[in-house]
Structures are given as C-alpha cells and as structure tokens.
Amino acid sequence: MRIARFVVDSDPMYGVVEDDEVIVIAGDPFFQGIKPTGAKHKLEDVRLLAPIIPRSKVVCFGRTYADHAAELGNAVPAEPLMFLKPNTAVVGSGDPITLPSFSEEISYEGELAVVIGRICKDVPAEKAQDVIFGYTIANDLTARDAQRTDGQWARAKGWDGSCPLGPWIQTELDHDDTQLTTRLDGKVVQDGNTSEMVWGINDLVAYASQAFTLLPGDVILTGTPAGVGLVTEGQRVEVEIEGIGTLGNTFRR
C-alpha cells in the first residue's frame, strides 16, 4: 500500500495511491489507521508533499555500504555511525531545494528511509518489523566543505532542505534485496542494492532504538551506496528505489 500526503486546495491530507488516483483517508494514519472517506482525486491533480514530517527526529546512518565508505577514504566503522537531522530539513519530492549560502560543495546521497509506526525503545532486531510503518526514499544532502571543517555534522547534514523525502510511503517492501538508483540530470551515478549493506535494516532500527525512543512518524535514513557526487544550481537529482518509486528535486541558488 502506498500512503501519500498531499494538498489539493488548502490543508494537507493523507491518501492511498492506487494506479492514477489518490483515495482520501480520514485523519492521520499513524494514529487513526487507514479509513477511506470515499473522496478521490486524480494523482495528476494533487501536489505531493513530504509523506511525513517527523514528529521528533530523523535518525541517520553513515558508512553502511563498504563501497561508499571506501570512495570517501573512510573505513567501515566497528558499529553503526549515527547522526541526526532536524525535521526542518525535510522537503518533498518535486520541491525546489535552495543550496545553502555557506557551502560550495553539496553532495547527493540516495537512500532507503524507514518510517516508524509506533512508540518504541530497545527493540530487538527480530522485532523491528513490528514497529515499522513503511518505507520511503531519501536524499541525504551533505555540505562536504562544512563536514570537513566543522568537526561534527549538524550544519553539514541538517540545513533546511537537506532531507528530501518521498514520493510516498510504501508499507510493504523486500528491504533486504532492493535496488537503488540515483540519476544526476538523467545520468546514472549510483546503482546499488540493500543486500550490499554492512548491517541490515532491522539491525539499524534496533541500534537506533537503543539510543533514542522512536516515535510514530520518526524517520531512519539507512545509508547510501557508492557513487556520491556534487550537485550545482540548475541540476536535478532523482533517486529511484525498486518497489517504491522516484524522488526528484531540482536545485537553485
């Protein structure tokens, strides 16, 4: 099932995407379940928003693909490497992204994102599926120059617009064997599979829950494969994940 957040005329709504239609659901599916109202809209007539604005946080993992760690001259860490993005970093698919004034080196990183469906803490890996609402696509945009100079990653990873999510949440996915492809102006620059990850999705959810209480609507970014590179004004990045769809954004100054 594909759950979208969208607008037609005014306030954001949630809906189930079926073929070329969006079936409106009542209220917030994270707290009220999936309750169709009977109203429908053509998908082409709505504006898709980020499928979720995290209630409290975006938990991110770095260097979860050995080939990506190697391309940046890093070793794979002994344990998963975590950092946070604020929810003000989130934008939707199709939204233009304004490059931050403090950086000249913004890099794309296509990633599979996990959306948490219930409050949880200290979740065993074998129980991780019980707390996952679904999956979406992320682009973990990074200011590489600030990442080098700051000594920590809050500014480099957390600037406004640095976390595009979308186009919707897919509630069912074979997350252990899913293809991820990133295109820069139509050219394939990343081509990886979640089967290549050092740690599995369930392991990452469990690890994050050891440190943080996870709330419904929190998002976990699970890392990127090799092929990251810089993006400049006027370019477009599309991240496609098998079984979900495509997240696309254009960049501006």
Side-chain angles (χ1 to χ4, degrees):
M1 182 182 296
R2 295 178 293 173
I3 308 295
R5 181 170 163 267
F6 65 97
V7 292
V8 178
D9 297 314
S10 54
D11 296 332
M13 298 178 284
Y14 285 95
V16 177
V17 178
E18 293 186 356
D19 299 323
D20 62 347
E21 291 186 326
V22 184
I23 302 168
V24 180
I25 58 180
D28 188 330
F30 288 86
F31 296 97
Q32 296 172 264
I34 309 299
K35 300 177 181 178
T37 64
K40 297 181 180 180
H41 299 280
K42 289 288 187 182
L43 188 58
E44 63 185 19
D45 294 335
V46 308
R47 181 168 74 88
L48 293 176
L49 305 173
I52 184 67
I53 300 297
R55 267 55 173 186
S56 65
K57 55 193 168 294
V58 181
V59 182
C60 309
F61 285 94
R63 304 173 189 169
T64 59
Y65 291 76
D67 55 357
H68 168 58
E71 74 176 344
L72 295 184
N74 300 310
V76 174
E79 294 187 349
L81 173 65
M82 282 194 298
F83 56 94
L84 298 174
K85 287 179 182 271
N87 58 12
T88 49
V90 172
V91 295
S93 184
D95 290 342
I97 295 175
T98 301
L99 297 166
S101 59
F102 62 80
S103 175
E104 297 298 326
E105 297 180 36
I106 299 299
S107 177
Y108 56 81
E109 295 187 11
E111 306 194 8
L112 174 65
V114 174
V115 183
I116 297 299
R118 53 183 262 196
I119 188 169
C120 58
K121 181 73 169 72
D122 293 323
V123 180
E126 61 270 20
K127 297 288 187 180
Q129 290 302 301
D130 295 343
V131 305
I132 295 175
F133 181 85
Y135 308 86
T136 191
I137 305 171
N139 190 348
D140 175 19
L141 296 169
T142 305
R144 296 293 181 201
D145 39 7
Q147 189 180 33
R148 288 194 302 271
T149 60
D150 286 2
Q152 48 74 36
W153 297 358
R155 185 171 68 135
K157 293 280 194 176
W159 47 275
D160 288 357
S162 64
C163 189
L165 296 176
W168 39 62
I169 298 169
Q170 173 61 259
T171 58
E172 297 180 8
L173 186 73
D174 180 9
H175 58 69
D176 289 328
D177 185 16
T178 298
Q179 197 69 21
L180 184 156
T181 304
T182 303
R183 294 181 291 271
L184 178 63
D185 288 339
K187 178 183 177 182
V188 173
V189 287
Q190 290 185 286
D191 190 14
N193 192 288
T194 55
S195 63
E196 301 164 358
M197 294 175 66
V198 178
W199 299 279
I201 300 299
N202 292 345
D203 296 320
L204 297 180
V205 172
Y207 193 85
S209 76
Q210 292 175 6
F212 312 109
T213 296
L214 300 176
L215 303 182
D218 281 354
V219 175
I220 298 176
L221 273 56
T222 62
T224 194
V228 301
L230 301 182
V231 62
T232 60
E233 180 180 12
Q235 291 190 300
R236 180 175 176 81
V237 175
E238 294 178 331
V239 184
E240 180 178 359
I241 294 183
E242 177 186 11
I244 301 180
T246 302
L247 166 74
N249 299 90
T250 302
F251 293 78
R252 65 186 182 185
R253 282 283 180 191

